[in-house]
Amino acid sequence: MENSVQNTGMNKLLLIVVLLLVCFGVAVVYSASAPYAQGKGLAAEFYMMKHLPKAVGGVVLMLALGRWGDYGHWKWLGRLAFIAFFVLSAVALVKGGGVKGANRWILGIQPSEFMKLGLIVWISAKLSEAGDNIKSVACTLIQPGIPYALCALILVLQPNYSMLIMVTAIVVCVMLTAGVNAKYLGYIGLAALPLAAIRLMTSTHSRARILAFFADEGEMTASNWQGDHALQALGNGGFFGTGFGQGVQKLGYLPEAHKDVVYAVIGEEFGFVGTFAILLLFAILFAQGFKIARNSSTRFGKYLALGLTLSLFFNFVVHVCVCVGLFPMTGQPLPFFSFGGTNLLYTSVAVGILLNISRPTSGRNIKEPYTSGSSLSSSAFRNFEFTRSGV
């Protein structure tokens, strides 16, 4: 009886870390956006006041998703979400507002973010239901390949190559973890790499950024302007930083510093100490996400938690690597810190689902086929009722 009532809540360490990141993110948005707002004749706190309700709403949504319901419902909710946001993404290509050469937004949101969520859920569900057929062509290529191909098509047409690369990495990692036939994936990868390289170099926007990334050091061009000034901001910060609100590079040198290069603002104003604290908090977040995936009592929970954690991880890595000059410039936000409602909402939903999966009482109604050689003692194949009764 004692064992049955232990560990019934959600992962509290993950929750605390996320709340700290959200609070720090609101402060950073204010500091990074104040000069930009004033330059447009707005109040210094204009963008912070737009960001704050979204942050509060995101926390409420995250807690609701984590505390109530059962993550098993996402098996069908995720597929509906994929279809709905695929359609919205397609509409955005035709009628959405083009920004910086990309057609990703409609009705103030970027629907491809939630199409990514639906894709992760769909593939996780398909892989969890495969059983002994996991290495077949159907389970390795066809069933996950169809929704992935639809998602990839939208991202190429927008274009949003950085998100496509991240989505591909997430899907491949989840599939390899599930035990699909790696040989089939290898064949597809060898065929796709040359096509991807050709596409990147024939895109004027992407080619300019890639060539600027490999340009001679000190050669300032429009394509690497933001990257060079992000590095300068990090260098200005030193060990302790210039102080909150005292950064220089956000004063017109970093265009829209509160969005694509907000990590550079953190580095300038809080220095090595601040950036290390951010890295530590995110490391704890990712470690808890992977722990939730490992401890889930269902295969669907394992794959879903892994995919969601990787989606946050890759967003974080790409944003930070861009700011420190390791990657070409992209438009990927830093979770919890970059201004903009879509990514903040996606991140809140992702963490909420992770918190739900971390609850031992969630997922009780999920039925999955046993695979040959599995046993009730294996956490991936346990029956919830057996676990509750101690059998």
Side-chain angles (χ1 to χ4, degrees):
M1 176 67 179
E2 182 180 354
N3 291 334
S4 66
V5 298
Q6 289 178 343
N7 300 321
T8 57
M10 65 180 70
N11 187 306
K12 293 182 175 58
L13 180 56
L14 174 61
L15 178 60
I16 292 171
V17 167
V18 168
L19 292 177
L20 288 174
L21 289 171
V22 170
C23 292
F24 195 10
V26 172
V28 169
V29 165
Y30 169 69
S31 178
S33 66
Y36 180 76
Q38 290 175 321
K40 298 179 69 173
L42 302 170
E45 64 274 11
F46 177 81
Y47 288 101
M48 186 270 287
M49 293 306 296
K50 291 186 67 175
H51 181 81
L52 182 59
K54 298 172 185 176
V56 173
V59 169
V60 172
L61 178 61
M62 176 187 70
L63 292 173
L65 291 174
R67 180 65 181 85
W68 293 292
D70 189 296
Y71 70 86
H73 297 315
W74 281 97
K75 277 196 170 187
W76 60 271
L77 281 174
R79 301 181 196 195
L80 288 179
F82 177 82
I83 295 170
F85 287 105
F86 171 82
V87 172
L88 278 177
S89 298
V91 173
L93 292 174
V94 180
K95 297 185 178 181
V99 179
K100 298 179 181 179
N103 294 293
R104 306 172 188 171
W105 292 268
I106 186 170
L107 302 177
I109 66 169
Q110 186 176 340
S112 56
E113 283 278 2
F114 301 102
M115 180 177 63
K116 175 178 65 177
L117 171 66
L119 177 67
I120 294 172
V121 175
W122 192 324
I123 289 180
S124 298
K126 282 296 183 182
L127 293 174
S128 69
E129 296 164 357
D132 281 333
N133 296 320
I134 190 65
K135 293 187 180 296
S136 66
V137 174
C139 292
T140 301
L141 297 181
I142 300 175
Q143 292 179 355
I146 292 175
Y148 168 78
L150 293 173
C151 180
L153 176 63
I154 290 291
L155 295 177
V156 168
L157 294 176
Q158 285 183 343
N160 193 347
Y161 299 118
S162 55
M163 182 180 285
L164 175 58
I165 292 171
M166 291 190 295
V167 165
T168 302
I170 294 166
V171 170
V172 169
C173 288
V174 172
M175 292 176 68
L176 290 176
T177 300
V180 301
N181 195 322
K183 179 175 66 176
Y184 295 149
L185 288 183
Y187 293 152
I188 296 296
L190 289 174
L193 281 176
L195 297 176
I198 293 172
R199 178 64 184 178
L200 284 173
M201 295 311 296
T202 54
S203 169
T204 304
H205 188 62
S206 298
R207 183 175 69 251
R209 290 190 171 187
I210 293 172
L211 294 178
F213 177 72
F214 290 104
D216 293 336
E217 186 175 354
E219 181 183 340
M220 185 73 74
T221 67
S223 295
N224 67 0
W225 171 278
Q226 199 168 30
D228 284 349
H229 282 285
L231 284 175
Q232 291 180 31
L234 291 169
N236 291 344
F239 194 79
F240 292 107
T242 59
F244 180 68
Q246 302 303 310
V248 174
Q249 292 299 318
K250 65 187 182 183
L251 302 177
Y253 298 102
L254 285 173
E256 299 184 338
H258 53 299
K259 295 182 180 180
D260 297 345
V261 287
V262 70
Y263 184 76
V265 176
I266 297 172
E268 184 173 22
E269 299 191 353
F270 298 94
F272 171 80
V273 174
T275 54
F276 180 79
I278 295 300
L279 292 174
L280 181 61
L281 288 173
F282 272 105
I284 296 172
L285 186 157
F286 301 137
Q288 292 306 302
F290 293 133
K291 179 181 178 181
I292 291 169
R294 184 179 67 248
N295 293 340
S296 176
S297 60
T298 68
R299 289 194 293 269
F300 176 62
K302 289 179 183 292
Y303 305 153
L304 181 56
L306 175 62
L308 293 175
T309 303
L310 286 174
S311 72
L312 302 179
F313 173 77
F314 286 132
N315 244 129
F316 169 80
V317 168
V318 170
H319 182 98
V320 172
C321 286
V322 164
C323 291
V324 301
L326 293 178
F327 288 173
M329 287 302 303
T330 69
Q332 293 304 320
L334 180 64
F336 305 109
F337 287 88
S338 293
F339 176 82
T342 303
N343 184 260
L344 185 59
L345 181 58
Y346 170 84
T347 303
S348 301
V349 172
V351 174
I353 297 174
L354 285 173
L355 290 172
N356 196 289
I357 296 173
S358 72
R359 291 168 44 219
T361 54
S362 188
R364 66 179 67 190
N365 296 320
I366 295 178
K367 304 297 181 182
E368 295 173 337
Y370 288 158
T371 60
S372 56
S374 66
S375 67
L376 289 176
S377 62
S378 172
S379 64
F381 307 105
R382 284 181 296 181
N383 179 282
F384 181 81
E385 296 301 327
F386 278 77
T387 305
R388 288 185 66 195
S389 61
V391 178

